[in-house]
Amino acid sequence: MGCGGGGAVQRDHVQRRQAWAGGAGPQGGSPLGWPGCRSYPLLTRPPPNAPLCSAGSLSRARELFRRALHLQPRSAFVLQAWGVAEARRGSKGRARVLLQQAIEADPTCRPAWHALGKLEDEAGNAEAARQHYQAVLRLAPGSVPTLNSLACLERRAGQLDAAEAALVAALAAHPAHLPSLYELAHVRDAQGRRGEAASLRWTAARAASSRAAALKDVAALRLPAPAEQRQQRQRW
């Protein structure tokens, strides 16, 4: 995953879903107007408004993905999104095939490498998962979600130094990344450094509290509706 823009990406997904439902054809130079896989964020879960989440059932989601692939064959983005959808619904075998197809279509597709690493990790295939995570990090050394996932794997394998190195890199890129703070606390516990572990958990708890308060403040804001904005401009 390698691109940004949370709200804009979600709005874009809504537009894509509407285009699918209406049977819209190619837009601009490429079907659906989709960019390549690298233009989307490294996600461990799809955005809330993504078509695969909005579909009423898995069969409906599969139909939408098939239509997308009909319009844009071998689209790494569609293949990896479909793979993630299948994995989230427990279809691990189908997910693995789709994610491998996404990588064949675009070997630089970091979301597919990461998701395939998660699948192997959950299946207990530590070495395969490690290789997939490292493939992401060769493409994007500062990928925080992947560094954190690799650190979890290394800690469970007893490789505490490797886990610590991954987490130090993750927190250097994103000092307030809560999963990495909590995971580093686990590593410190395993190293017998209980005081540092407690301090890290306290830091993470404060960061989580601050984030929750900030979200509450943002939610309390009431921005003028478009009609109200027009009326305000007319008054001036």
Side-chain angles (χ1 to χ4, degrees), residues 160 184-198 201:
L160 299 182
L184 186 54
H186 290 315
V187 171
R188 292 287 185 253
D189 272 334
Q191 292 171 330
R193 298 158 67 174
R194 304 300 171 83
E196 292 180 46
R201 289 191 176 94

Side-chain angles (χ1 to χ4, degrees), residues 6-60:
V9 170
Q10 291 180 8
R11 287 192 298 275
D12 185 61
H13 278 299
V14 174
Q15 293 169 0
R16 306 300 181 201
R17 185 180 73 248
Q18 292 170 345
W20 289 357
Q27 300 173 5
S30 64
L32 293 182
W34 265 341
C37 196
R38 284 167 291 173
S39 300
Y40 284 78
L42 177 60
L43 298 174
T44 53
R45 66 190 61 182
N49 292 330
L52 58 94
C53 295
S54 300
S57 66
L58 180 55
S59 60
R60 174 59 175 159

Side-chain angles (χ1 to χ4, degrees), residues 100-175:
Q100 289 170 342
Q101 289 176 350
I103 291 169
E104 290 171 5
D106 180 2
T108 67
C109 185
R110 289 174 280 159
W113 282 113
H114 181 89
L116 197 52
K118 296 292 286 185
L119 274 180
E120 298 294 355
D121 199 352
E122 292 171 1
N125 302 324
E127 186 53 38
R130 184 180 290 109
Q131 291 175 4
H132 295 321
Y133 291 149
Q134 289 171 346
V136 177
L137 296 174
R138 282 193 293 273
L139 295 166
S143 174
V144 174
T146 303
L147 285 165
N148 185 69
S149 294
L150 178 61
C152 293
L153 183 153
E154 298 293 10
R155 175 178 59 82
R156 292 194 303 270
Q159 303 296 322
L160 299 182
D161 289 343
E164 180 178 3
L167 290 167
V168 167
L171 291 169
H174 188 344

Side-chain angles (χ1 to χ4, degrees), residues 60-81:
R60 174 59 175 159
R62 286 172 176 164
E63 177 189 344
L64 294 175
F65 283 124
R66 289 190 187 99
R67 290 181 66 181
L69 286 175
H70 177 73
L71 292 170
Q72 190 168 353
R74 290 182 59 79
S75 164
F77 171 70
V78 175
L79 287 165
Q80 67 84 21

